[in-house]
Amino acid sequence: MKKLLVSIILLAMALTSPAASRQHPCLLLSKDSVKEMKAAVGSVPLFDTSLAEVTENADKALEREICLPEPVDGGGGYSHETHKLNYFDMYNCGIAWQITGRRAYADRVKAMLMAYADFYPGLGYHPLDLSPVPGRIFWQTLNESVWLLHAAQAYDCIYDTLSAKERRHLESKLFRPYAEFIMNGTPDNRANRRTFNNLNNHATWANAAVGMIAIVMGDDELLRKALYGFDESGEAGFMRQLDVLFSPDGYFTEGAYYQRYALWPFVIFAQCLNRNRPDLDIFGYRDGILLKAVDALLQMAYDGEFMHFNDALEKGYDAQELVYAVDIAYLADPSDKELLWVADTYQHKVVVSDAGFAVAKAIAAGETQPLKLRSCMLRDGADGSEGAFVILRSPREEENTALTFKATSHGLSHGHFDRLNFAYYDAGNEVVSDYGAARFLNIVAKYNGHYTHENNSYAKQTVAHNTLVVDGKSQFGAKMGKASKSHPAVTACSLGGDVQMVSAEETLAYEGVRMQRWIFLADVPFLQYPLVMDLLRATSSAAHTYDYPIHYNGHMIQLSVPYERALTGMEVMGESNGYQHLWVEAKADAAEGTTAYTWLTGHRMYSLSCATSADDDIYLTRLGASDPDFNLRSEPAFILRHEAPSGSHLFASCLETHGKYDIKVEQSANLDRSCTGVSVLQDSEDCIRVKYGFKDGRAVLLSVDLSSGEVKYNVEYE
Amino acid sequence: MKKLLVSIILLAMALTSPAASRQHPCLLLSKDSVKEMKAAVGSVPLFDTSLAEVTENADKALEREICLPEPVDGGGGYSHETHKLNYFDMYNCGIAWQITGRRAYADRVKAMLMAYADFYPGLGYHPLDLSPVPGRIFWQTLNESVWLLHAAQAYDCIYDTLSAKERRHLESKLFRPYAEFIMNGTPDNRANRRTFNNLNNHATWANAAVGMIAIVMGDDELLRKALYGFDESGEAGFMRQLDVLFSPDGYFTEGAYYQRYALWPFVIFAQCLNRNRPDLDIFGYRDGILLKAVDALLQMAYDGEFMHFNDALEKGYDAQELVYAVDIAYLADPSDKELLWVADTYQHKVVVSDAGFAVAKAIAAGETQPLKLRSCMLRDGADGSEGAFVILRSPREEENTALTFKATSHGLSHGHFDRLNFAYYDAGNEVVSDYGAARFLNIVAKYNGHYTHENNSYAKQTVAHNTLVVDGKSQFGAKMGKASKSHPAVTACSLGGDVQMVSAEETLAYEGVRMQRWIFLADVPFLQYPLVMDLLRATSSAAHTYDYPIHYNGHMIQLSVPYERALTGMEVMGESNGYQHLWVEAKADAAEGTTAYTWLTGHRMYSLSCATSADDDIYLTRLGASDPDFNLRSEPAFILRHEAPSGSHLFASCLETHGKYDIKVEQSANLDRSCTGVSVLQDSEDCIRVKYGFKDGRAVLLSVDLSSGEVKYNVEYE
């Protein structure tokens, strides 16, 4: 039935949009919009500055000699970076030609494409044997796709300046073989064919790149392959990616960092399809999944930077991809005026395209509205059934507080073994932190810019996160295959209001250990800032060692118990599973009752108070041991260790944000924690009751009732 | 002769400004200016927001109950902070009363002053025995002076609302005893008298506070004591402070951080004198020394933050003191439109005063001009003969590069043992860094907010700086008394142009060792960014161990020689003189020829290339050992060690800034250093010639010729 529908649509398309009649440019620009842009030059500030950047880069390109170095280097290396620069140069010159009409730009694009048409056919595989999907110009095919996506736009821009013969030459010598390689690889290596027909981010890039050059060339068959897979069955291809790569809430399973990257080909190709294949109603597809994905990504940020879970580096709203995503999403739905705020506040530029032009005009017209960040649950899995990533934000907007909780599926090859992990952001800082990826992208001196060994040996390990570690090991023995087969269950989630919470359960990460975590963000009337309350329970029929690590940014201020500081020699905390990377800066016996730890981040204090027994141990650690190549950052952590007999153990703690440390006027207040103690009043299978005591005899009574099979909780103040 | 002149002036003043006739307010506001401000409300944006902040704080004050806690705590503690809040409350309410005319504000000031009039007479010395100059309300008299300076302004504002009897009561019970205490201490402890008649920053505060309350009370005798010392001889007092505390270039000997603080009482009291004692021509005094001091301080900043030498914490243009300094300097010289830029860009507020009003009006009128930061030599010493602090800035403004060189006198109790130290700032970052002070100001948990022990044991020690360390010891054996008796000699300084340089010589810091350093900042035609070239020579008739430390911010990228990394255990570098605080993260044998070290800071690479011999050792260290209370930050350093026989040894190196690491668009370029080697061609007493080789056969030939007795240098490019 589906196939039939597809066939009908294809037939309709073949009839209504014969390739030969397509006008150019036809991708992100059109003849009409270019006319409008030309007329508006000088009157739309953000567009003018963006255009100026493009023409400036295009001018720089003109100054350079055309150079197509032999492909030898990996990311960051000379040949790699030069070919990247080349596609940016072609792209910039193409756009500049369209808007300024200066012929030199078009000539440069033509000359470069012609050079590539000479260069490309002679290439074998790239000599660096680092990728299972090797490219020719670049070490991996992913970069080849990015090249083609840009080159297609450049070609589109100068299409009308070329003779039919020149086009035939470029298409037969360069674009068709190039697309064929991305789509099929070579007879002796079909890795690319597998990728092209796979359902993941690399496949999306491949689909989009092939689809865009297909549109420019007017090759409808090629476009169908991009949309529906090589066999045009619809089991693969761009449309299928839209079905499976995002959850119904727009969450991409690899997490925010890769969602940013994944979105790029999605939105660009979608924008091209929106113009050339309106019959697909691409932005309405799957209840508007692409716009939901843009929204979900914007939500997964703090102060404009994407949250650091899974293999994340520092990226934010100002990333190049987001400029595309925001502009294109706005053109698709001009009622979403909050997108303008992202462009105006963080990006300071637009894509020189129909979409960017619309954004710039709307900003100039004063239509911008502030982006509303909200508490939200982003379900994972194509059907939303595979756990969730949850963000709790303080209802008081001026507080800028966010707590994240990770109970998603593994996240493919970029996932970490971090089920039931949390992170805490406050006052502009990542206070309780997630290491993200151990990688120096593009820096050749650092393992060629790839993920370093320490990404596996530390960053992915459970102890690198703020969640339970059992017996000093990582969840699922750090085996991705095992971890990918299941996901935690979100057992409750309450968003909005003075008490927000989320809870989840995980029973497979450690054999024989049931992990439950309930985490609360509460506006407590007698406290200065929202209070995080954390209940983390492990239940097992065997005895275990449980570690409760809290990684933080900031400087150690105070530990409530005496500690033994490493003064003239320092040792590592363990031998494997990430512990080998932790220097033990100090060790302490916990108190019988409550142990509290305070650190300073920015202008505020953060005090963690934990219910402890005298047998518990405290470790203050610093990252960097067993790191021969200095690949890890030097970061501190607090680790509470409990030796548990069989049965259940509850880590009950709270994280209090307090104080003002204003060094400008040298005023400080409330630098001591208010929490006087954490008492577990009850911890039975069906019920947990914890009393958090505070100064002046105040208290928060937190109870969780599981007797009904559902999570019921109650928060009372004394 | 001088005394006679003073007497005549005083006589003239007594005749022309009888106290009884003085109008109030008379300090930072006047009846006329208040009238103008009232009329302008709503029309001068920066003034409106500043006024709104004052009234908001005044409103908060009204909501509080008046509370004068028993003095028990040190800085950051409850009683300390409450009394600080009290003077801010009185000050804010006083100002708010003047501008809004809302009576409740005036009543609150009166009630608080009356409370203090009851409270103060019963106080003995503060119980915390931490200061040689103890106070009553506060642990040190310095804070008492700050209290009085604010209370005087509050009293001035509500003066006209009080009956003569009320004024008599306040003055006899509070202000006169208070001023008397600051001026004379008590019969059993004359520490305050010594301070009041001393020549330092604490004395300036005491003079200003007493002088301001004297003006308000119309007590000319008291004012004379503030101006000329208790005996009115002119050997002490405010005017004498102006003679000796600043060098002719406006440099305050303790360095930028304390210059900021020192300026506060200077500018405030000067502004009061300008109105009430125009005969003093206070802003013209000593060739405009106060305005020079403001300018010098603004120059000693990078990206708006004061450079970190000596006992420095993080402070910048937005510090409260600077708001006063900038506003008052502008009122004194409204032709300096660059001051408006500081107010507008960094401070976002003005003092609600005549001065702030003038600044806000000028900004509203569009008169702001960008602050020009320039290369400059700031001589130290009252007569400018005691060395200098030198700043070299790249002539290309867009580069935002600054190199500082410290060859000043010791800097009193806040000085470090860091002669011939340098620091390097680039692209918004402190790249080669100065630790500043080991202190957590106002944090009681950290040694009561005082300078920690590690300030002496590490931060002040020579190895904590980027200068020569001889035999693992600190300059002058880390004895301030010895260090204070001399200063290095600046031997050359060339500011502006493509090659800037400064050099100095120090012969006393290490007995029997002559230190010479020539440091260059050059715009080299074939390099991306300015190049730092450093020649540091030690000459001695004995054998010594010389260390050449470079402290940096950033992450280690590459060392050009194999190194042994501490993997599972870490040791300290030494036992004393600061070395006990350095963990050895890695150790290496230097290369025969050149050893290079690259790190990443922000979006650029920094490569240090040093001429080395195979016998030299390299240490990569991290701060934090022997630090039982976690008082030190975790920071990295590179240390080159050379065992020298008798004779001279030259450390010749260059620091190359290179590369672009733009993670937004994932473009990177020039990440490898260009420098291929550093060769010392000649190192004789009169002549040094060094060749810095670069990629593509390029080179910089640097020569220093000392044969004439003067420093002559030459830079050639190959």
Side-chain angles (χ1 to χ4, degrees), chain A residues 81 84 314-315 318 441 446 555-556 565 567 569-570 624 626-627 630 632 661 663-664 666 668, chain B residues 81 84 314-315 318 441 446 555-556 565 567 569-570 624 626-627 630 632 661 663-664 666 668:
Chain A
E81 294 303 319
K84 271 173 77 175
E314 285 182 15
K315 283 275 187 180
D318 54 357
L441 186 71
K446 291 289 190 190
H555 194 96
M556 187 277 189
R565 172 75 156 107
L567 296 174
M570 202 145 62
S626 310
D627 176 22
F630 287 91
L632 292 169
Y661 184 55
I663 54 170
K664 278 183 214 169
E666 295 196 10
S668 51
Chain B
E81 294 302 319
K84 271 174 76 174
E314 285 181 15
K315 283 276 186 180
D318 54 356
L441 186 72
K446 291 289 191 191
H555 194 96
M556 188 276 192
R565 172 77 154 108
L567 295 174
M570 201 146 61
S626 311
D627 175 23
F630 287 90
L632 292 170
Y661 184 56
I663 55 171
K664 279 181 211 168
E666 295 195 9
S668 51

Side-chain angles (χ1 to χ4, degrees), chain A residues 414-680:
Chain A
H414 293 298
H416 287 197
F417 301 93
D418 63 350
R419 292 189 179 184
L420 312 198
N421 186 33
F422 89 102
Y424 181 65
Y425 301 80
D426 182 63
N429 297 299
E430 185 180 9
V431 175
V432 174
S433 53
D434 192 321
Y435 190 86
R439 180 183 191 187
F440 292 82
L441 186 71
N442 286 350
I443 298 185
V444 173
K446 291 289 190 190
Y447 198 55
N448 274 315
H450 300 300
Y451 289 100
T452 65
H453 294 296
E454 290 71 20
N455 196 53
N456 282 325
S457 66
Y458 179 72
K460 285 187 171 181
Q461 300 289 331
T462 305
V463 72
H465 302 87
N466 311 299
T467 188
L468 182 74
V469 188
V470 179
D471 298 329
K473 295 184 177 147
S474 284
Q475 297 175 0
F476 298 101
K479 302 282 180 220
M480 182 175 89
K482 267 177 90 176
S484 299
K485 286 184 188 137
S486 67
H487 54 82
V490 175
T491 51
C493 182
S494 173
L495 307 177
D498 283 349
V499 178
Q500 304 181 79
M501 69 84 67
V502 58
S503 63
E505 179 168 324
E506 167 62 42
T507 54
L508 299 169
Y510 291 105
E511 220 179 295
V513 180
R514 178 189 191 195
M515 286 168 58
Q516 295 166 289
R517 192 170 206 169
W518 304 266
I519 199 155
F520 296 79
L521 183 69
D523 264 346
V524 178
F526 51 84
L527 292 180
Q528 193 178 4
Y529 296 109
L531 181 71
V532 177
M533 290 176 288
D534 180 27
L535 306 176
L536 173 56
R537 185 160 74 177
T539 309
S540 176
S541 58
H544 290 289
T545 301
Y546 294 129
D547 282 353
Y548 177 86
I550 299 290
H551 300 265
Y552 63 94
N553 282 306
H555 194 96
M556 187 277 189
I557 295 297
Q558 203 170 28
L559 179 63
S560 67
V561 292
Y563 54 88
E564 195 187 325
R565 172 75 156 107
L567 296 174
T568 57
M570 202 145 62
E571 294 176 355
V572 293
M573 192 170 171
E575 291 180 358
S576 57
N577 302 310
Y579 285 88
Q580 73 274 28
H581 293 295
L582 298 174
W583 294 115
V584 179
E585 289 201 319
K587 208 183 152 184
D589 293 329
E592 184 65 37
T594 303
T595 304
Y597 184 64
T598 299
W599 67 88
L600 170 69
T601 310
H603 298 305
R604 290 184 185 167
M605 295 285 181
Y606 299 88
S607 288
L608 179 76
S609 297
C610 308
T612 53
S613 67
D615 291 337
D616 294 348
D617 291 320
I618 307 286
Y619 296 84
L620 301 182
T621 67
R622 182 165 289 277
L623 192 56
S626 310
D627 176 22
D629 302 319
F630 287 91
N631 287 336
L632 292 169
R633 300 190 300 269
S634 172
E635 297 193 345
F638 164 98
I639 301 179
L640 167 61
R641 172 165 289 181
H642 177 78
E643 302 286 350
S646 65
S648 94
H649 177 70
L650 179 70
F651 287 102
S653 65
C654 69
L655 177 64
E656 184 192 346
T657 300
H658 59 97
K660 176 192 176 185
Y661 184 55
D662 187 337
I663 54 170
K664 278 183 214 169
V665 295
E666 295 196 10
Q667 269 184 298
S668 51
N670 202 21
L671 299 187
D672 297 325
R673 68 181 182 279
S674 293
C675 184
T676 53
V678 182
S679 319
V680 178

Side-chain angles (χ1 to χ4, degrees), chain B residues 459-527:
Chain B
K460 286 187 171 181
Q461 301 289 330
T462 304
V463 72
H465 302 87
N466 311 300
T467 187
L468 181 75
V469 188
V470 179
D471 298 329
K473 296 186 178 145
S474 284
Q475 298 175 0
F476 298 102
K479 302 285 179 217
M480 181 175 88
K482 266 177 90 176
S484 299
K485 286 184 187 137
S486 67
H487 53 82
V490 175
T491 49
C493 182
S494 172
L495 308 176
D498 283 348
V499 178
Q500 304 181 79
M501 68 84 66
V502 55
S503 64
E505 178 169 325
E506 167 62 43
T507 55
L508 299 168
Y510 291 105
E511 223 179 292
V513 179
R514 179 189 190 194
M515 286 167 59
Q516 295 166 287
R517 192 169 205 169
W518 302 266
I519 200 156
F520 296 79
L521 183 69
D523 264 346
V524 178
F526 51 84
L527 292 178

Side-chain angles (χ1 to χ4, degrees), chain B residues 201-215:
Chain B
N201 173 240
H202 286 217
T204 312
W205 277 99
N207 300 158
V210 169
M212 283 167 67
I213 196 66
I215 291 174

